[in-house]
Amino acid sequence: MIRNKSIISIDDLSKSDIFEVFNVADDMLGKIEKEGSTGLLNSKIMATLFYEPSTRTRLSFESAMHRLGGSVISVSDVKTSSVAKGETLADTIRMASSYSDIIVIRHPLEGAARLASRFASKPVINAGDGSGQHPTQTVLDLYTIRKELGKIDGNTITMVGDLRYGRTIHSLIMALSSFDVKINLVSPPILRLPEYVYSMVPDRSNIREVDSLSDVIGDTDVLYVTRIQKERFSDQNEYQSVIGSYSITSEMVAAMKEKSIIMHPLPRIDEISPEIDRKPQARYFKQAYYGVPVRMALIYMILGD
Ligand code: CP
């Protein structure tokens, strides 16, 4: 049960909460496709505070709230808010709490969403905190796997790219630890999965680091590609040394199983070329589309009757 709860880490959702979100998201998807919107949260207000750029997360949260019949107040550019005058995160959150029923925050610093939840009198949703976590992305990633492959258990999931700073990877690995899956990790040595993420996984025997994507691509059911994130590197020489390390080509896709899927939290730069978009395995735009029903489900389960 997540009524009135904040979602800061994927650990804030139990496995049964996640399955309940899937069921509610299926209902929401039906409502979007038949009626467009609902009046389920007519009088509720969501505040979105984005201290870091976003397209999908902010727009899908806002779309979700509008489709639930609620309203949105938003700080999309902190330079136009009193943050530019030096207002603290704590005071900004106190204000957002008094003007809204739920707060969605993205911040470049790991731990900022947790801090925000301590000063908020309303539920807070972490929409990405630096290299920390992105729990709602993980729920929609799991929903996508279940929707597109029929189930999560039994799949081999290969994660490629920036495993060190990739918050979507960190949350997803933690969530998958309660499913019966095999995980392959492919990254440049300096972008390996951090030890602290391994330490949060009860059994790491199903996770293996592999040197080459070609060694595992033929056995993969879900190829989860991530961007190497320039903005996370304090040393731009380090970034230059790994830029363009992975690019999914048509030849690689040809080696994949017919029923496998390619996911990416997006945005992408050059790690998946546009020619791959036409391949039957490409599901990253569908994955982003599922962000609305999944976030409708989460908001409704937190704020609804
Ligand atoms: N997936 C994701 O978080 O995308 P945005 O950065 O565009 O929100």
Side-chain angles (χ1 to χ4, degrees), residues 107-121:
H107 200 285
L109 293 180
E110 199 170 329
R114 174 80 59 207
L115 185 70
S117 70
R118 297 209 172 111
F119 291 99
S121 55

Side-chain angles (χ1 to χ4, degrees), residues 66-82:
H66 286 299
R67 288 195 187 280
L68 287 164
S71 314
V72 179
I73 54 176
S74 186
V75 175
S76 57
D77 179 1
V78 288
K79 290 201 265 328
T80 63
S81 77
S82 286

Side-chain angles (χ1 to χ4, degrees), residues 120-135:
S121 55
K122 302 289 166 55
V124 173
I125 300 184
N126 179 6
D129 61 327
S131 302
Q133 288 212 29
H134 195 347

Side-chain angles (χ1 to χ4, degrees), residues 50 53-58 106 127 134 137 167-168 227 264-267 295:
F50 277 69
S54 169
T55 297
R56 277 145 294 276
T57 310
R58 187 164 75 85
R106 170 170 288 187
H134 195 347
Q137 176 73 43
R167 57 195 174 201
T168 66
R227 176 174 65 97
H264 190 311
L266 303 176
R295 289 181 170 121

Side-chain angles (χ1 to χ4, degrees), residues 215-234:
D215 291 344
V216 290
I217 200 154
D219 294 326
T220 293
D221 299 295
V222 178
L223 181 62
Y224 193 98
V225 187
T226 61
R227 176 174 65 97
I228 295 184
Q229 304 168 93
K230 184 176 185 206
E231 67 273 24
R232 303 278 177 238
F233 287 79
S234 51

